[in-house]
């Protein structure tokens, strides 16, 4: 018996222990740092963003019925989509997404964003490190997950 797309999807999600934590996608990560999930229907395979699939599941709307989504948490592999205030994903236009980016200092000159100034490859590497930790240990090693979420190297030696 094969699993439904929703069952396959949720098997690749690691939910944080705190009420406001990210739900991290532990499947494939594209070269832009965002996740990739595949749907198979009618002999065709379609790759979609996992956060879009999570939003589709939470809201019960067709995948092609909504536009851009904005991550409140700014974590590319977060899929926390709910219908409540605890959601990390909100619909928005490209313009709203760019305004959010600017307001949070994630524009190319921003200084506050934890992954600011990273090349596309390094951005993807950060997502993969986070994904690999969540895949291997879930949130059991919460300190490592939180360090990776903030863009810190959990293996870097401390100064004191």
């Amino acid at each position: 018996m094969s699993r439904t797309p929703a069952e396959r999807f949720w098997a690749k999600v690691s939910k944080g222990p705190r009420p406001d934590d990210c739900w991290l996608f532990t499947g494939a990560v594209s070269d832009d740092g965002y996740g990739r999930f595949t749907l198979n229907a009618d002999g065709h395979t379609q790759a979609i963003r996992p956060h879009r699939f999570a939003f589709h599941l939470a809201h019960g709307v067709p995948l092609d019925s909504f536009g851009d989504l904005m991550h409140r948490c700014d974590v590319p592999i977060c899929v926390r989509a709910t219908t409540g205030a605890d959601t990390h994903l909100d619909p928005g236009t490209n313009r709203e997404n760019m305004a959010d980016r600017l307001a949070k200092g994630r524009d190319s000159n921003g200084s506050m964003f934890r992954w600011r100034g990273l090349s596309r490859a390094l951005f993807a590497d950060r997502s993969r490190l986070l994904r690999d930790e969540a895949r291997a240990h879930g949130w059991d090693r919460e300190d490592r997950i939180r360090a990776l979420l903030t863009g810190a190297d959990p293996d870097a030696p401390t100064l004191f």
Side-chain angles (χ1 to χ4, degrees):
M1 181 174 168
S2 64
R3 296 186 298 172
T4 66
E7 289 169 335
R8 283 190 316 103
F9 174 78
W10 290 116
K12 296 175 187 286
V13 175
S14 180
K15 294 182 178 182
R18 297 182 189 169
D20 60 341
D21 279 338
C22 290
W23 298 347
L24 302 173
F25 184 69
T26 61
V29 172
S30 295
D31 66 354
D32 63 358
Y34 287 86
R36 187 178 67 235
F37 182 67
T38 57
L39 294 175
N40 301 305
D42 302 323
H44 294 84
T45 300
Q46 175 188 11
I48 60 169
R49 301 280 193 192
H51 61 278
R52 291 186 65 77
F53 191 69
F55 189 87
H56 153 76
L57 291 174
H59 293 273
V61 295
L63 281 166
D64 59 356
S65 69
F66 53 91
D68 293 341
L69 294 175
M70 300 185 301
H71 279 94
R72 287 184 190 174
C73 59
D74 295 326
V75 176
I77 62 168
C78 179
V79 296
R80 185 179 187 125
T82 70
T83 57
D86 63 341
T87 191
H88 286 201
L89 295 165
D90 291 310
T93 65
N94 186 50
R95 183 183 189 123
E96 290 168 328
N97 210 356
M98 294 300 104
D100 179 63
R101 183 180 107 168
L102 182 62
K104 292 178 178 176
R106 289 186 287 119
D107 59 312
S108 60
N109 295 320
S111 59
M112 296 171 14
F113 183 53
R114 58 194 166 256
W115 292 2
R116 177 195 63 80
L118 293 179
S119 70
R120 184 179 175 104
L122 286 176
F123 193 81
D125 286 346
R126 288 256 176 113
S127 287
R128 289 183 183 116
L129 283 171
L130 179 57
R131 182 260 335 252
D132 291 349
E133 183 67 29
R135 181 188 282 171
H137 305 286
W139 283 76
D140 291 344
R141 299 188 333 177
E142 190 174 337
D143 289 347
R144 287 186 61 80
I145 291 287
R146 295 207 186 283
L148 291 165
L149 283 170
T150 61
D153 179 355
D155 297 320
T158 58
L159 295 176
F160 305 98

